Amino acid sequence: MNQSPMQYLENNTFAEFPKQIKYSEHKPRILILYGSLRSKSYSRLLAMEAKRILEFFGAEVQIFDPDGIPVYDGDRSVKHPKVIELRNLSQWSEGQVWSSPEMHGNMTGLMKTMIDWIPLSLGAVRPTQGKTLAVLQVSGGSQSFNAVNNMRILGRWMRMITIPNQSSVAKAFNEFHEDGTMKESSYRDRLVDVMEELMKFTYMTRDISDYLVDRYSERKEKII
């Protein structure tokens, strides 16, 4: 007897369109991480500029201060106050911004440490899955995209919706006023573009993120 080659899917349910979409009325909740502890950190200044832009657009924004977070050790420091704070903020957020300097052709170790401390799952909770992400970097020299490209890989691994646009600020020491605000430039224009796009993607996806990340393979595992 010939069997349909798709018989293995016949007893599974696939929701091609969400049956019911609710629309949240609260401000989009955005968490910003920056990857430098320098006294004059340009990735922090870029994060602060991003915060001001997002708040202008109507978001509720929290910036995590990484000073004091332990090096990732798997489990020994899981109850460290900084680790708990970071995980709570990640769960609170509906979107995130990662801002890192480029160090030796990549994001900094501090940036990677923070991301490592955010697990893929905490019991039944997935702190990053289905949330939006924008990536930013600063460079001391010519423009580069190594850090943002590698953060994109991490964002995909964390099952985040990483928006298409990104910001890379070259010779960042030339791009900020003494008060920390960003000078008028094409770099500032691009940052506004990226934050605007992040807001749009967050509005579009935050209420259906569970639907967007619902997977056949994971439903199958639950049945088994």
Side-chain angles (χ1 to χ4, degrees):
M1 181 178 178
N2 293 329
Q3 293 182 342
S4 166
M6 302 309 295
Q7 185 178 19
Y8 71 98
L9 295 181
E10 290 177 357
N11 294 325
N12 289 274
T13 301
F14 294 89
E16 295 182 1
F17 299 97
K19 294 180 180 179
Q20 182 178 0
I21 300 177
K22 62 178 181 179
Y23 294 95
S24 297
E25 296 182 359
H26 65 269
K27 294 181 177 181
R29 299 192 294 260
I30 308 296
L31 169 63
I32 300 181
L33 308 180
Y34 62 90
S36 171
L37 296 177
R38 292 177 59 183
S39 56
K40 191 169 185 178
S41 164
Y42 294 104
S43 62
R44 185 179 69 247
L45 293 181
L46 190 63
M48 293 298 299
E49 190 76 18
K51 179 178 185 289
R52 287 187 286 269
I53 295 167
L54 287 167
E55 288 176 339
F56 178 84
F57 286 148
E60 181 181 357
V61 184
Q62 295 285 341
I63 295 184
F64 175 72
D65 180 358
D67 194 7
I69 194 167
V71 173
Y72 180 75
D73 56 27
D75 58 358
R76 289 185 302 156
S77 303
V78 72
K79 294 185 179 180
H80 190 284
K82 280 289 181 179
V83 173
I84 294 172
E85 178 188 0
L86 176 59
R87 291 185 170 187
N88 287 340
L89 284 172
S90 185
Q91 291 185 46
W92 164 85
S93 70
E94 296 169 326
Q96 296 187 18
V97 178
W98 297 350
S99 173
S100 178
E102 181 173 312
M103 178 70 69
H104 302 316
N106 212 320
M107 75 194 81
T108 60
L110 176 62
M111 194 78 224
K112 183 63 163 57
T113 289
M114 287 186 287
I115 297 168
D116 285 346
W117 273 122
I118 304 174
L120 285 174
S121 62
L122 284 171
V125 177
R126 295 194 168 180
T128 55
Q129 180 168 270
K131 297 181 179 182
T132 54
L133 172 65
V135 291
L136 320 173
Q137 79 166 72
V138 294
S139 302
S142 58
Q143 191 172 41
S144 170
F145 302 94
N146 293 317
V148 286
N149 287 340
N150 281 287
M151 285 189 285
R152 282 187 175 279
I153 293 173
L154 287 175
R156 183 172 69 245
W157 189 261
M158 303 297 282
R159 297 180 174 179
M160 303 180 79
I161 302 168
T162 308
I163 67 171
N165 213 342
Q166 61 188 22
S167 171
S168 174
V169 180
K171 297 183 180 179
F173 55 86
N174 286 330
E175 299 302 324
F176 294 89
H177 297 290
E178 284 300 316
D179 64 1
T181 58
M182 202 168 184
K183 296 177 182 178
E184 181 180 359
S185 69
S186 61
Y187 292 127
R188 191 178 70 177
D189 292 347
R190 172 59 68 90
L191 181 63
V192 175
D193 287 347
V194 175
M195 295 302 102
E196 181 182 22
E197 188 171 290
L198 178 66
M199 289 289 286
K200 290 177 179 178
F201 271 76
T202 305
Y203 274 124
M204 287 192 298
T205 62
R206 65 177 180 173
D207 293 317
I208 57 171
S209 60
D210 289 341
Y211 161 75
L212 292 173
V213 299
D214 183 44
R215 292 175 177 82
Y216 158 72
S217 59
E218 294 179 353
R219 294 195 304 271
K220 183 179 176 182
E221 288 177 1
K222 290 178 182 178
I223 293 174
I224 295 174

